[in-house]
Amino acid sequence: MRKLILLTIFLTFLTSLYTINANDCQGSISLVLSPNNVEGEAEIKAIATGLTGTGCYGKSIQITRDSCSGTKMCGCESKGTGCSCTFKTTLPHVGIGYFQSQNKYYACVDKNGNGDFLDSGEQSFATLTIRRKISFMPLGIIESISQLFKGFAQAFAHLFKL
């Protein structure tokens, strides 16, 4: 009988170690960007969800670019399951054949209050595609520029008697 009592006490102790406290912040943060595919500068709504437990109320959620230690785009305070905020996109750099960028944005929350976003469920990312609108010069302007260069070439040739 004594062994049974000790075993019951031991099992109760082990069970108490793994009991999830309803006051803890649980779940895994998830990020949705709306829209997630834009042309030019645009306002993006970042929606962070997936948290559970009363301990999630008031948790600070940051939306950052490239990683949780990247540039902060916006932030909000959890209403229990998450929250939303908005930020403005920036245009991709123009290069030869490069008119689109795909950027990762992260939702970061310190659920357990230990000062980092490294624990399970504390970060998530979503990809945002940004296209730069390509504008072409009207044909009339190109012809005018061409005529201007021909005039310079003729004046240069005449000046140096080429």
Side-chain angles (χ1 to χ4, degrees):
M1 183 68 158
R2 186 172 183 204
K3 287 182 181 181
L4 182 61
I5 292 172
L6 288 175
L7 180 62
T8 304
I9 292 171
F10 179 70
L11 290 175
T12 303
F13 172 74
L14 284 179
T15 304
S16 70
L17 291 177
Y18 295 103
T19 302
I20 295 174
N21 188 341
N23 293 329
D24 288 346
C25 185
Q26 299 294 318
S28 292
I29 193 83
S30 178
L31 178 62
V32 173
L33 301 175
S34 179
N36 66 355
N37 193 333
V38 296
E39 186 169 302
E41 291 182 347
E43 191 164 291
I44 305 298
K45 185 172 188 176
I47 306 162
T49 60
L51 302 176
T52 60
T54 58
C56 295
Y57 283 92
K59 289 283 183 185
S60 175
I61 299 175
Q62 298 176 23
I63 307 301
T64 57
R65 184 174 169 182
D66 299 325
S67 71
C68 283
S69 59
T71 303
K72 184 176 177 182
M73 303 307 291
C74 65
C76 54
E77 193 174 288
S78 174
K79 308 290 187 248
T81 60
C83 57
S84 65
C85 59
T86 59
F87 64 91
K88 192 169 185 169
T89 63
T90 55
L91 292 173
H93 298 287
V94 176
I96 296 175
Y98 183 72
F99 299 100
Q100 175 174 303
S101 66
Q102 290 188 321
N103 302 314
K104 285 186 179 179
Y105 291 88
Y106 285 74
C108 311
V109 61
D110 183 10
K111 294 188 312 181
N112 58 6
N114 69 348
D116 65 40
F117 307 112
L118 302 175
D119 302 296
S120 178
E122 290 188 336
Q123 61 178 279
S124 174
F125 74 88
T127 302
L128 174 65
T129 301
I130 306 168
R131 294 179 316 283
R132 179 182 279 277
K133 189 173 186 176
I134 302 170
S135 299
F136 294 99
M137 282 189 203
L139 188 56
I141 292 174
I142 294 172
E143 288 173 352
S144 298
I145 292 172
S146 175
Q147 291 298 321
L148 183 65
F149 281 123
K150 284 180 186 177
F152 282 132
Q154 288 173 351
F156 182 77
H158 181 63
L159 183 65
F160 293 101
K161 300 187 193 263
L162 297 174

PDB file of all heavy atoms in Angstrom, residues 92-101 132 134:
ATOM      1  N   PRO A  92      11.281  48.097 -55.513  1.00  0.00           N
ATOM      2  CA  PRO A  92      12.551  47.398 -55.716  1.00  0.00           C
ATOM      3  C   PRO A  92      13.504  48.271 -56.524  1.00  0.00           C
ATOM      4  O   PRO A  92      13.072  49.132 -57.286  1.00  0.00           O
ATOM      5  CB  PRO A  92      12.149  46.143 -56.492  1.00  0.00           C
ATOM      6  CG  PRO A  92      10.856  46.479 -57.133  1.00  0.00           C
ATOM      7  CD  PRO A  92      10.183  47.472 -56.229  1.00  0.00           C
ATOM      8  N   HIS A  93      14.801  48.054 -56.331  1.00  0.00           N
ATOM      9  CA  HIS A  93      15.803  48.785 -57.097  1.00  0.00           C
ATOM     10  C   HIS A  93      15.692  48.398 -58.564  1.00  0.00           C
ATOM     11  O   HIS A  93      15.397  47.257 -58.902  1.00  0.00           O
ATOM     12  CB  HIS A  93      17.209  48.463 -56.584  1.00  0.00           C
ATOM     13  CG  HIS A  93      17.411  48.872 -55.167  1.00  0.00           C
ATOM     14  ND1 HIS A  93      17.536  50.189 -54.793  1.00  0.00           N
ATOM     15  CD2 HIS A  93      17.496  48.149 -54.031  1.00  0.00           C
ATOM     16  CE1 HIS A  93      17.688  50.257 -53.489  1.00  0.00           C
ATOM     17  NE2 HIS A  93      17.667  49.035 -53.002  1.00  0.00           N
ATOM     18  N   VAL A  94      15.947  49.356 -59.430  1.00  0.00           N
ATOM     19  CA  VAL A  94      15.881  49.094 -60.866  1.00  0.00           C
ATOM     20  C   VAL A  94      17.254  48.629 -61.329  1.00  0.00           C
ATOM     21  O   VAL A  94      18.264  49.223 -61.011  1.00  0.00           O
ATOM     22  CB  VAL A  94      15.473  50.366 -61.638  1.00  0.00           C
ATOM     23  CG1 VAL A  94      15.513  50.111 -63.133  1.00  0.00           C
ATOM     24  CG2 VAL A  94      14.103  50.817 -61.215  1.00  0.00           C
ATOM     25  N   GLY A  95      17.269  47.559 -62.048  1.00  0.00           N
ATOM     26  CA  GLY A  95      18.484  47.046 -62.654  1.00  0.00           C
ATOM     27  C   GLY A  95      18.101  46.415 -63.969  1.00  0.00           C
ATOM     28  O   GLY A  95      16.924  46.279 -64.286  1.00  0.00           O
ATOM     29  N   ILE A  96      19.079  46.048 -64.739  1.00  0.00           N
ATOM     30  CA  ILE A  96      18.780  45.437 -66.028  1.00  0.00           C
ATOM     31  C   ILE A  96      18.057  44.116 -65.796  1.00  0.00           C
ATOM     32  O   ILE A  96      18.580  43.219 -65.139  1.00  0.00           O
ATOM     33  CB  ILE A  96      20.066  45.232 -66.846  1.00  0.00           C
ATOM     34  CG1 ILE A  96      20.669  46.594 -67.158  1.00  0.00           C
ATOM     35  CG2 ILE A  96      19.787  44.442 -68.115  1.00  0.00           C
ATOM     36  CD1 ILE A  96      21.991  46.549 -67.851  1.00  0.00           C
ATOM     37  N   GLY A  97      16.858  44.019 -66.310  1.00  0.00           N
ATOM     38  CA  GLY A  97      16.071  42.800 -66.169  1.00  0.00           C
ATOM     39  C   GLY A  97      15.557  42.555 -64.753  1.00  0.00           C
ATOM     40  O   GLY A  97      15.061  41.488 -64.457  1.00  0.00           O
ATOM     41  N   TYR A  98      15.671  43.524 -63.864  1.00  0.00           N
ATOM     42  CA  TYR A  98      15.240  43.329 -62.475  1.00  0.00           C
ATOM     43  C   TYR A  98      14.190  44.365 -62.122  1.00  0.00           C
ATOM     44  O   TYR A  98      14.507  45.518 -61.875  1.00  0.00           O
ATOM     45  CB  TYR A  98      16.435  43.456 -61.539  1.00  0.00           C
ATOM     46  CG  TYR A  98      16.095  43.210 -60.096  1.00  0.00           C
ATOM     47  CD1 TYR A  98      15.808  41.935 -59.643  1.00  0.00           C
ATOM     48  CD2 TYR A  98      16.043  44.254 -59.189  1.00  0.00           C
ATOM     49  CE1 TYR A  98      15.495  41.709 -58.325  1.00  0.00           C
ATOM     50  CE2 TYR A  98      15.724  44.042 -57.862  1.00  0.00           C
ATOM     51  CZ  TYR A  98      15.458  42.765 -57.440  1.00  0.00           C
ATOM     52  OH  TYR A  98      15.143  42.553 -56.131  1.00  0.00           O
ATOM     53  N   PHE A  99      12.941  43.966 -62.148  1.00  0.00           N
ATOM     54  CA  PHE A  99      11.854  44.886 -61.858  1.00  0.00           C
ATOM     55  C   PHE A  99      10.894  44.311 -60.818  1.00  0.00           C
ATOM     56  O   PHE A  99       9.792  44.778 -60.678  1.00  0.00           O
ATOM     57  CB  PHE A  99      11.102  45.230 -63.147  1.00  0.00           C
ATOM     58  CG  PHE A  99      11.973  45.902 -64.153  1.00  0.00           C
ATOM     59  CD1 PHE A  99      12.521  45.193 -65.196  1.00  0.00           C
ATOM     60  CD2 PHE A  99      12.284  47.242 -64.025  1.00  0.00           C
ATOM     61  CE1 PHE A  99      13.346  45.815 -66.117  1.00  0.00           C
ATOM     62  CE2 PHE A  99      13.102  47.870 -64.941  1.00  0.00           C
ATOM     63  CZ  PHE A  99      13.636  47.150 -65.992  1.00  0.00           C
ATOM     64  N   GLN A 100      11.322  43.297 -60.109  1.00  0.00           N
ATOM     65  CA  GLN A 100      10.469  42.643 -59.125  1.00  0.00           C
ATOM     66  C   GLN A 100      11.328  42.206 -57.946  1.00  0.00           C
ATOM     67  O   GLN A 100      12.477  41.843 -58.115  1.00  0.00           O
ATOM     68  CB  GLN A 100       9.803  41.423 -59.758  1.00  0.00           C
ATOM     69  CG  GLN A 100       8.979  40.594 -58.811  1.00  0.00           C
ATOM     70  CD  GLN A 100       8.231  39.499 -59.543  1.00  0.00           C
ATOM     71  OE1 GLN A 100       7.476  39.767 -60.436  1.00  0.00           O
ATOM     72  NE2 GLN A 100       8.466  38.261 -59.159  1.00  0.00           N
ATOM     73  N   SER A 101      10.756  42.260 -56.761  1.00  0.00           N
ATOM     74  CA  SER A 101      11.460  41.721 -55.600  1.00  0.00           C
ATOM     75  C   SER A 101      10.487  40.894 -54.769  1.00  0.00           C
ATOM     76  O   SER A 101       9.275  41.130 -54.780  1.00  0.00           O
ATOM     77  CB  SER A 101      12.061  42.847 -54.750  1.00  0.00           C
ATOM     78  OG  SER A 101      11.041  43.628 -54.174  1.00  0.00           O
ATOM     79  N   ARG A 132       7.895  46.657 -59.892  1.00  0.00           N
ATOM     80  CA  ARG A 132       8.023  48.050 -60.297  1.00  0.00           C
ATOM     81  C   ARG A 132       7.340  48.195 -61.648  1.00  0.00           C
ATOM     82  O   ARG A 132       7.612  47.428 -62.561  1.00  0.00           O
ATOM     83  CB  ARG A 132       9.486  48.446 -60.411  1.00  0.00           C
ATOM     84  CG  ARG A 132       9.668  49.887 -60.862  1.00  0.00           C
ATOM     85  CD  ARG A 132      11.132  50.239 -61.015  1.00  0.00           C
ATOM     86  NE  ARG A 132      11.770  50.558 -59.766  1.00  0.00           N
ATOM     87  CZ  ARG A 132      11.719  51.744 -59.177  1.00  0.00           C
ATOM     88  NH1 ARG A 132      11.045  52.718 -59.726  1.00  0.00           N
ATOM     89  NH2 ARG A 132      12.340  51.949 -58.040  1.00  0.00           N
ATOM     90  N   ILE A 134       6.815  49.272 -65.163  1.00  0.00           N
ATOM     91  CA  ILE A 134       7.751  49.655 -66.209  1.00  0.00           C
ATOM     92  C   ILE A 134       7.060  50.658 -67.121  1.00  0.00           C
ATOM     93  O   ILE A 134       6.005  50.383 -67.683  1.00  0.00           O
ATOM     94  CB  ILE A 134       8.201  48.417 -67.019  1.00  0.00           C
ATOM     95  CG1 ILE A 134       8.846  47.397 -66.085  1.00  0.00           C
ATOM     96  CG2 ILE A 134       9.154  48.823 -68.128  1.00  0.00           C
ATOM     97  CD1 ILE A 134       9.105  46.065 -66.742  1.00  0.00           C
TER      98      ILE A 134
END
